Amino acid sequence: MCGICGAIDFGGSGGASSLVRRMTPTMFHRGPDDEGYLDDGPISLGMRRLSIIDLEAGHQPIFNEDGSVGVVLNGEIYNFRELRKQLGDLGHRFRTRSDSEMVAHAYEEWDAECVQRFEGMFAIAVWDGRGATQHSALSTQHSADARGPSEGTLFLARDRLGIKPLYYTEMSEIRSQTSDIRTPTSDLRPLTSDLRPPTSDLRPLTSDLRPPTSDLRPLTSVFLFASEVRTLLASGVVPRRLSRSALHSYLLFGSVSEPMTLVEGVLSLPPGHRMTIPLGAQTTAARPEAYWNIAEGGRGDGATGGRGDAEKLGRGDGETGREPGLDGNANHKSGIPKLETRNSKLETAPTRVRELLEESVRRHLIADVPVGVFLSSGIDSTALAALASREVSGVHTFTVAFPEKEFSEAAIARRTAKQFGTTHDELMLSGDEMLAQLGEAVSALDQPSMDGINTYFVSWAARQAGLKVALSGLGGDEVFGGYSTFRRTPQYQRLAALGVRLPDPVRATMATAMSGTGDALARGDAARKLAALWSQSESLPHAYFFARALFTPSQVAELLTEAAGTNHNALWWHWLAEGVEQTSEMDHFSAVTCLEARSYLVSTLLRDTDSMSMAHSLEVRVPFLHHPLVEFVTQLPARLKLRSGTPKALLVAALEDLLPSEVINQTKRGFTFPWATWLRGPLKEKMERGLSEITPALREVLKEKSVRAVWQSYLAGRTSWSRPWSLYVLNEWVKRNLG
């Protein structure tokens, strides 16, 4: 696990090296063990390394035999040993045991198609100098020649689900590095980054880290990429300008939707995308290209457990299309539903899920450092603890507990740990302790989010226990249907379809009634969502997004100082709409899985997990998002994944002999902190002060009166804690990063 960054100076001024040496130190928390640089004419790469595999020899950048291909990698390639053997059989020779060296040889052998062979979480940058004049790229000294344009290329790629982040920007018309750095749209604001390498206990501090300002030569056009948005800001050439379009998506969903960021001009390389940039060009000619999407999944023969296997299971001799799924017959040992169908092939679905999960956990345990498991009382983390304990004796588990017993999952987690024989730790977190560390936690967010603080403290607990790697159950709800969105979305679709058939006055009248009093389906915030869906279904690309909305479109308009206008031209809208189009032929269950993966999963959960865990130099791995498993389950018929009264029925059927009955039979609750209690108690004063002092960059676009009204609405019990909390985090993030 690492932090990576790079720069291409298209103008040939020799400034790329200086930019990268400004950016790289800001990622110390992502890789406190090592650093490295590659300089070749117009391009420079930098990295910070968290040593997980081949601790001594895995230094980056890492190269092929003749030094013509160099790689920096953030993440893990779990099948690197198999690929290394294939490449060895093809004549490649290796100097280390690292997965990053395998990437260099894989790119040398298969070029951009190499990513199709990778299983894992990754953001990679490959310098390909095979077309350039040969020179000593293997050198990683801290100075660079100002060579002329190279004939080489830069290749960037991100893993299929977007587990690891990668951001980029292209700046032009940069006149100077201090007072007059410009793009066609705005001026650069003073650098105010509050990142600083952590001290020996690996906890972030609040002091400023200001990169040097005297070594950057004038630039005309530059391309930058990095693992963090804040690293790009630290370059000194990216304007600290708020993206109003991205702000709109944040208010709608509580996080900025892919592929945008809250910084104007800074974009995310989307999940399952790659990009190749010629170094000899005058500007970036390439654009992101998709190599995978969850809706299509695997296309092959099912060898990896993807679409091929799933389609075979969905077909049968004489099949009528009414595949029965999990019926009411119970397994005699545990009372878990057993798969019974008229088609014997369908009975293999739980077996295949079990095999894929076992293989995924086995791969995710590969490390040369201790590995643990985040353990709550839920099915997903319990499943991982069960499988991991079968692979590693005494595997480490840990749980965050609260004095508020109704929120604490510690008791069940403790009994689960005892059953599986794990080494178990608990971290007790009170509201007062949360208050003391809240500033550090918010500062760790690379982009603002209504979520994420949970992961900050869980990651801190894991690091305190001496771990460098932890497995998380993240992804289980999206793949196996654990969210209420799987039930609500079909209802919302029917409601939207009915609403558009009615005259506008009738729709408006009924929407007002829904919003004010609620109905049999929902009340309060949920009722307001239904009212928005009824009257403004066209304001979001699909009914699903109303179920996921934080503020409704009309509430967002009320918060903004100017009319929002249409979002249909925004990049985030196109990203979500494209996902809707890709799922048009899927059943409702699989469609929601794909939409969850394209929105909430990647834009909130995975992004927050990455930034909050790496703030503590902890690598978090997510076995439920191993793409062979995701492909297989997503392409299965919905009936195989549904069972009334049984949450995540297919997962339960696959692990029926391992999961404790109290975990399966408990009422589902997401792992969350007691925010509603804390916001009325120890955090109340901080919240009120924060929401009454809107930072200038936001004051231009947000109505302060409307922001305060949200807080008052919460205190009056008319809205949930998540809405004022999201505005507080937004304000704090903008204050720290955009001024």
Side-chain angles (χ1 to χ4, degrees):
M1 188 67 66
C2 302
I4 64 174
C5 64
I8 303 173
D9 171 18
F10 291 110
S13 65
S17 176
S18 296
L19 286 170
V20 168
R21 281 158 180 78
R22 284 175 156 226
M23 295 191 291
T24 305
T26 69
M27 298 185 293
F28 182 91
H29 54 284
R30 300 187 70 92
D33 298 330
D34 192 15
E35 73 174 359
Y37 296 92
L38 180 155
D39 298 306
D40 177 49
I43 188 172
S44 180
L45 305 180
M47 60 78 60
R48 292 291 322 184
R49 184 184 180 214
L50 181 66
S51 304
I52 302 295
I53 294 175
D54 197 357
L55 307 186
E56 299 300 324
H59 176 80
Q60 296 183 44
I62 200 162
F63 300 85
N64 63 342
E65 297 95 334
D66 63 5
S68 61
V69 174
V71 168
V72 288
L73 163 69
N74 173 27
E76 307 289 349
I77 310 298
Y78 299 122
N79 63 333
F80 76 97
R81 291 171 177 167
E82 296 94 315
L83 293 175
R84 175 190 171 102
K85 183 180 185 307
Q86 292 179 28
L87 290 162
D89 292 342
L90 292 170
H92 294 263
R93 297 294 174 260
F94 294 82
R95 296 185 297 274
T96 74
R97 297 182 294 105
S98 68
D99 54 345
S100 54
E101 186 184 14
M102 181 280 298
V103 172
H105 291 278
Y107 184 85
E108 180 185 16
E109 183 68 34
W110 299 306
D111 294 314
E113 294 304 310
C114 65
V115 293
Q116 300 281 12
R117 300 170 182 260
F118 296 164
E119 295 180 13
M121 55 178 189
F122 56 84
I124 59 176
V126 180
W127 165 80
D128 183 358
R130 289 175 294 177
T133 303
Q134 294 299 309
H135 48 76
S136 183
L138 285 168
S139 173
T140 58
Q141 70 269 21
H142 290 252
S143 61
D145 297 336
R147 296 187 184 92
S150 168
E151 296 178 8
T153 58
L154 171 67
F155 175 71
L156 302 175
R158 189 176 177 197
D159 66 73
R160 293 165 177 82
L161 277 302
I163 304 169
K164 292 287 98 184
L166 192 61
Y167 302 100
Y168 68 96
T169 188
E170 183 176 2
M171 312 303 298
S172 58
E173 298 183 16
I174 304 172
R175 299 181 184 177
S176 73
Q177 162 273 333
T178 53
S179 61
D180 194 26
I181 302 174
R182 297 180 180 274
T183 68
T185 56
S186 63
D187 293 340
L188 176 68
R189 303 183 181 196
L191 181 63
T192 58
S193 173
D194 63 354
L195 292 176
R196 178 178 177 181
T199 54
S200 58
D201 65 355
L202 296 174
R203 294 178 61 185
L205 304 177
T206 56
S207 303
D208 288 352
L209 174 66
R210 301 179 186 275
T213 58
S214 60
D215 59 350
L216 182 60
R217 309 176 192 180
L219 301 166
T220 55
S221 180
V222 63
F223 176 86
L224 305 174
F225 72 87
S227 296
E228 295 192 358
V229 172
R230 294 168 300 180
T231 296
L232 294 175
L233 291 174
S235 70
V237 299
V238 178
R240 294 175 178 270
R241 178 181 172 86
L242 179 75
S243 167
R244 298 194 177 196
S245 178
L247 174 63
H248 199 156
S249 75
Y250 177 86
L251 295 174
L252 282 168
F253 302 117
S255 64
V256 178
S257 179
E258 289 273 335
M260 304 190 74
T261 74
L262 206 60
V263 181
E264 185 72 38
V266 175
L267 298 176
S268 166
L269 183 65
H273 279 65
R274 59 193 174 193
M275 182 161 52
T276 301
I277 304 166
L279 301 183
Q282 296 302 308
T283 185
T284 304
R287 291 292 178 264
E289 169 200 25
Y291 68 86
W292 185 90
N293 74 71
I294 186 173
E296 295 184 2
R299 296 176 178 273
D301 60 3
T304 65
R307 185 174 182 175
D309 275 359
E311 287 186 342
K312 292 173 186 175
L313 290 173
R315 294 192 305 265
D317 297 335
E319 188 61 56
T320 64
R322 297 179 298 169
E323 309 96 319
L326 295 170
D327 74 1
N329 294 334
N331 180 279
H332 70 281
K333 292 185 295 183
S334 62
I336 306 304
K338 183 179 179 181
L339 189 71
E340 296 289 352
T341 81
R342 289 191 302 269
N343 183 353
S344 61
K345 291 183 179 181
L346 296 179
E347 296 179 4
T348 64
T351 300
R352 185 61 180 141
V353 167
R354 173 73 164 259
E355 293 170 350
L356 288 167
L357 268 173
E358 289 175 338
E359 176 64 18
S360 178
V361 170
R362 191 174 301 119
R363 288 185 182 277
H364 283 72
L365 288 171
I366 296 173
D368 294 332
V369 296
V371 180
V373 180
F374 291 157
L375 181 60
S376 68
S377 66
I379 291 174
D380 302 330
S381 65
T382 302
L384 295 185
L387 293 172
S389 66
R390 292 161 68 92
E391 299 289 334
V392 178
S393 176
V395 66
H396 212 123
T397 57
F398 39 92
T399 301
V400 173
F402 312 108
E404 296 83 0
K405 298 298 184 183
E406 67 271 25
F407 289 94
S408 184
E409 303 180 64
I412 294 179
R414 199 178 304 127
R415 290 192 290 271
T416 298
K418 182 178 181 180
Q419 177 175 333
F420 296 144
T422 72
T423 301
H424 189 64
D425 282 330
E426 293 178 6
L427 170 68
M428 181 65 70
L429 183 64
S430 69
D432 290 335
E433 290 167 327
M434 163 64 74
L435 178 62
Q437 300 187 54
L438 183 60
E440 292 180 0
V442 173
S443 293
L445 286 165
D446 189 45
Q447 289 196 69
S449 170
M450 60 176 270
D451 210 344
I453 303 298
N454 304 9
T455 305
Y456 179 87
F457 287 97
V458 174
S459 298
W460 175 76
R463 206 62 171 100
Q464 292 295 106
L467 298 174
K468 266 191 171 183
V469 179
L471 306 189
S472 166
L474 193 154
D477 284 322
E478 288 80 4
V479 175
F480 291 98
Y483 293 133
S484 61
T485 50
F486 285 85
R487 301 187 306 274
R488 291 180 181 172
T489 298
Q491 298 172 349
Y492 280 22
Q493 286 179 289
R494 290 191 291 270
L495 185 64
L498 178 60
V500 297
R501 297 191 184 101
L502 298 176
D504 288 345
V506 176
R507 291 172 66 189
T509 300
M510 295 186 67
T512 301
M514 285 184 188
S515 181
T517 63
D519 61 10
L521 286 174
R523 297 187 182 278
D525 292 323
R528 285 186 279 276
K529 290 184 184 182
L530 290 177
L533 175 66
W534 180 267
S535 61
Q536 298 176 284
S537 60
E538 70 286 350
S539 59
L540 290 172
H542 191 275
Y544 157 84
F545 297 110
F546 287 88
R548 270 290 171 210
L550 177 67
F551 291 103
T552 66
S554 59
Q555 288 175 317
V556 171
E558 179 60 32
L559 285 165
L560 296 173
T561 57
E562 58 185 34
T566 179
N567 288 310
H568 294 191
N569 292 324
L571 288 177
W572 64 264
W573 174 281
H574 284 290
W575 171 254
L576 298 181
E578 183 180 70
V580 173
E581 182 179 354
Q582 291 170 355
T583 63
S584 61
E585 300 300 320
M586 306 182 83
D587 64 52
H588 80 275
F589 193 109
S590 296
V592 173
T593 289
C594 296
L595 295 176
E596 290 280 5
R598 203 170 177 92
S599 55
Y600 181 57
L601 178 66
V602 66
S603 296
T604 301
L605 297 180
L606 289 174
R607 184 187 298 157
D608 292 347
T609 296
D610 174 81
S611 65
M612 292 310 206
S613 61
M614 293 308 294
H616 299 290
S617 303
L618 177 77
E619 175 176 296
V620 173
R621 299 178 176 180
V622 283
F624 282 109
L625 296 181
H626 195 46
H627 83 264
L629 173 66
V630 173
E631 290 176 354
F632 176 75
V633 177
T634 301
Q635 298 297 335
L636 285 173
R639 291 182 178 87
L640 285 179
K641 295 176 277 189
L642 291 171
R643 168 63 183 165
S644 178
T646 303
K648 293 180 251 194
L650 179 57
L651 176 60
V652 169
L655 301 176
E656 59 183 6
D657 59 322
L658 297 181
L659 298 176
S661 58
E662 70 171 333
V663 171
I664 297 170
N665 296 325
Q666 67 177 324
T667 302
K668 177 178 172 55
R669 54 177 176 174
F671 174 66
T672 185
F673 287 9
W675 291 109
T677 301
W678 291 350
L679 261 60
R680 295 178 184 274
L683 297 184
K684 182 178 180 181
E685 182 179 348
K686 181 179 284 287
M687 287 287 295
E688 288 182 334
R689 185 169 60 250
L691 293 177
S692 65
E693 300 172 356
I694 303 300
T695 193
L698 276 177
R699 201 178 301 142
E700 300 174 2
V701 293
L702 281 184
K703 298 176 185 175
E704 294 182 84
K705 181 179 179 180
S706 296
V707 170
R708 289 192 293 270
V710 173
W711 173 243
Q712 294 302 319
S713 181
Y714 165 70
L715 293 177
R718 294 191 298 270
T719 193
S720 73
W721 63 266
S722 58
R723 288 161 181 81
W725 172 250
S726 69
L727 295 173
Y728 173 83
V729 173
L730 171 67
N731 189 46
E732 291 298 311
W733 191 91
V734 173
K735 185 188 304 181
R736 286 166 167 78
N737 295 282
L738 302 183

